Amino acid sequence: MARYAAITGTGSYVPDKILTNFALEKMVNTSDEWIRQRTGIVERRIADEDMATSDLGIRAARQAIKMAEIDPLDIDMIIVGTVTPDALFPSTACYVQKGIGAKKAAAFDLSAACAGFIYGLDLADGMIKSGRYDTILVIGGEIFNKILDWSDRGTCVLFGDGAGAAILQGTDEPKGILSSYIGSDGDYSDVNLLGMPAGGSRMPPSHETIDQKLHTIKMRGREVFKLGVRIMPEAAQHALNLAGLTVDDIDLLIPHQANMRIIEAVGDRLGIPREKVFVNVDKYGNTSAATTIIALDEAIREERAKPGDLVLMVTFGAGLTWGSTVIRL
Ligand code: ACO
């Protein structure tokens, strides 16, 4: 009998502190009007200085565990998609494990930038289908505010902090992840296209790397924009093909929340009406690996996505990486 990975619980957490476009006007040479028109972002959340990504992930995970009505000891595996881990090692997933008391789980981080959550879902789906694992917690979480160059208006206005979590459990019913697709293209791995140059083995931390602000995100926005608009519709269509479905079957599209213009272009290219496209980039900005799962959690809690609905999720990120999935809730 075919085995499926059902999503039995979701959760999300964003910090209380709100940074508006108007507040940013006082920090860099930008304007609320420019940010709204070019990105659709109105405000974003900023984590307290003493908070790390696992602190956000733990809060999101607790909600997902509650919705799934499971015991943390039931969790076999924890996957955290993040590029802003608490430390390079140990993994953020191990801190989450400790925080929620999931003592029986194997825990590890996954680096796929904004595609981190959907990469995690894909792995979890395969693990559950293989029969080796039954209950997997997948988190996408980031604290981007700590890797932003707050003097670079081209990047600092775009990102925010947050985390989302999903519990996946094996089932024989045809629900949950119906299809899943991930891909990457290392030809676009130029760290200055989208990435953080220093802090790794190529460029370890030094006084020079700090002076040159190389521990902050670098991005050539216009190029990334074009790649996103091309790659996301292709990836979404691929997941639909794998599931044997068409866009007309889809109840809700959840694209990566990087920029309103990219979101609209992806929906339009796929031919999905705007009312079926979930948007929360206005409230949170780009939370990287967390965007799609925060959106899914909100969609479920706001009943924009109901049991039985078909949800198409698609993302892209640094690497380049991309991923898409069709889920029956
Ligand atoms: N405020 C005011 N003006 C600005 C700002 C700002 N915050 N930022 C840039 N500008 C200026 C530029 O300097 C430029 O001025 P110029 O014409 O005098 O040179 C002008 O605005 C236009 O700049 P562009 O970069 O061409 O603007 P664009 O319309 O491309 O919008 C943006 C820029 C919003 C960054 C867009 O390119 C974008 O969203 N790119 C994709 C970002 C993205 O999706 N990232 C995903 C990350 S995924 C991950 O893995 C982390």
Side-chain angles (χ1 to χ4, degrees):
M1 189 180 278
R3 190 104 178 115
Y4 289 87
I7 297 192
T8 55
T10 58
S12 60
Y13 176 78
V14 291
D16 294 335
K17 190 172 158 194
I18 294 173
L19 179 65
T20 63
N21 292 346
F22 293 108
L24 273 167
E25 285 181 354
K26 299 189 180 80
M27 296 162 66
V28 281
N29 182 14
T30 190
S31 67
D32 171 62
E33 193 194 353
W34 190 95
I35 302 172
R36 271 181 209 245
Q37 275 182 3
R38 301 288 180 125
T39 74
I41 299 166
V42 178
E43 57 189 40
R44 70 286 292 142
R45 301 301 178 101
I46 303 292
D48 290 342
E49 229 170 87
D50 62 353
M51 274 190 146
T53 296
S54 68
D55 298 318
L56 312 189
I58 288 166
R59 286 168 168 81
R62 285 191 182 130
Q63 287 185 12
I65 289 165
K66 194 171 168 205
M67 191 192 282
E69 298 179 348
I70 60 163
D71 189 297
L73 291 175
D74 297 334
I75 298 171
D76 302 313
M77 180 174 282
I78 302 170
I79 305 171
V80 177
T82 187
V83 289
T84 51
D86 292 28
L88 276 183
F89 64 94
S91 70
T92 303
C94 283
Y95 292 117
V96 171
Q97 174 178 34
K98 184 178 175 203
I100 61 172
K103 276 195 173 307
K104 292 186 180 159
F108 62 93
D109 290 358
L110 188 160
S111 174
C114 296
F117 177 75
I118 291 189
Y119 263 61
L121 274 192
D122 186 84
L123 280 191
D125 181 46
M127 297 285 191
I128 287 170
K129 284 201 172 110
S130 79
R132 288 185 62 194
Y133 301 86
D134 184 65
T135 301
I136 301 185
L137 167 62
V138 183
I139 294 175
E142 307 279 9
I143 297 194
F144 253 64
N145 105 68
K146 295 190 188 179
I147 60 162
L148 290 175
D149 174 355
W150 287 100
S151 65
D152 174 13
R153 67 178 182 173
T155 52
C156 77
V157 304
L158 303 175
F159 297 93
D161 304 338
I167 297 283
L168 280 85
Q169 292 187 277
T171 175
D172 296 330
E173 279 178 64
K175 62 187 281 200
I177 298 180
L178 301 187
S179 72
S180 176
Y181 162 60
I182 56 175
S184 25
D185 187 347
D187 283 349
Y188 293 99
S189 57
D190 175 1
V191 77
N192 291 305
L193 174 65
L194 186 53
M196 189 171 87
S201 56
R202 175 133 353 249
M203 210 185 278
S206 66
H207 291 293
E208 287 74 33
T209 60
I210 290 169
D211 290 344
Q212 292 166 31
K213 296 189 174 168
L214 296 175
H215 299 270
T216 59
I217 185 169
K218 307 294 170 209
M219 184 178 75
R220 295 198 296 271
R222 219 175 296 182
E223 283 173 61
V224 173
F225 189 101
K226 285 185 192 151
L227 287 165
V229 167
R230 177 170 62 81
I231 286 166
M232 284 208 285
E234 284 172 12
Q237 189 58 53
H238 199 77
L240 283 171
N241 295 347
L242 289 174
L245 296 167
T246 72
V247 284
D248 296 334
D249 299 311
I250 294 303
D251 296 297
L252 190 67
L253 170 69
I254 298 183
H256 176 42
Q257 306 284 308
N259 179 314
M260 191 62 201
R261 288 186 293 147
I262 301 180
I263 292 169
E264 286 176 351
V266 171
D268 291 351
R269 284 197 185 185
L270 284 167
I272 296 187
R274 294 267 165 97
E275 63 273 14
K276 285 190 178 180
V277 182
F278 193 88
V279 175
N280 64 9
V281 70
D282 51 327
K283 294 191 290 182
Y284 306 133
N286 181 350
T287 56
S288 182
T291 73
T292 46
I293 178 57
I294 293 176
L296 179 64
D297 182 52
E298 286 194 344
I300 289 171
R301 288 175 196 273
E302 291 166 10
E303 298 189 347
R304 287 276 309 273
K306 300 182 197 66
D309 278 1
L310 282 168
V311 179
L312 172 60
M313 295 168 83
V314 62
T315 189
F316 84 108
L320 278 178
T321 53
W322 57 84
S324 53
T325 181
V326 177
I327 297 166
R328 186 179 292 284
L329 291 177

